[in-house]
Amino acid sequence: MAASDWCLPSREDAEWVFGTGEPDAVIDACRRAGARGVVYKRGADGCVVDDGRTRVSVASHRVASVDATGAGDCFDGAFAARLAAGDDAFAAARYANAAAAIATTGWGAVDPLPRPRDVDALLRRAA
């Protein structure tokens, strides 16, 4: 973790590695292990972002989910893409939450992946 800029554990990862799913405990453990920034992904419960200065819970989006296969990977890719585009971690996490939510509305890890226009539309509806 010390070699990464961002650590993005899922709830399942955290429970296995740290023996807890409690957000503050997970993030604190990641930070003690050297992570500079942490996004703790909690599935339908959203995520918690810690950039080293601020810790914020980011709400999820309620959608008609059918299959969560690939949602975590979708989140990770969307988060990294938005950081690369210049978003701060909190805006990137809001976008990634929306992208991952859409990814659960179809079957499999590829077909339901959203396009940026789909994510933007969900974010507009949620605003």
Side-chain angles (χ1 to χ4, degrees):
M1 287 184 216
S4 64
D5 291 328
W6 287 96
C7 178
L8 290 87
S10 69
R11 183 177 304 174
E12 295 80 15
D13 295 336
E15 289 173 353
W16 184 75
V17 173
F18 303 115
T20 183
E22 196 281 314
D24 286 332
V26 170
I27 292 170
D28 291 345
C30 290
R31 305 257 320 133
R32 281 192 303 276
R36 290 183 209 97
V38 180
V39 180
Y40 177 40
K41 302 178 293 181
R42 302 181 319 134
D45 293 325
C47 66
V48 181
V49 181
D50 184 306
D51 69 354
R53 293 180 304 280
T54 305
R55 188 172 293 181
V56 174
S57 181
V58 179
S60 63
H61 298 271
R62 300 295 175 218
V63 296
S65 295
V66 296
D67 181 15
T69 303
D73 292 335
C74 178
F75 182 101
D76 296 349
F79 181 77
R82 293 312 311 163
L83 287 178
D87 286 359
D88 66 38
F90 306 100
R94 282 189 292 278
Y95 186 94
N97 265 353
I102 294 168
T104 70
T105 62
W107 295 100
V110 177
D111 285 343
L113 290 175
R115 301 287 185 256
R117 68 180 174 273
D118 303 322
V119 178
D120 292 338
L122 179 56
L123 289 169
R124 279 193 304 278
R125 286 192 305 271

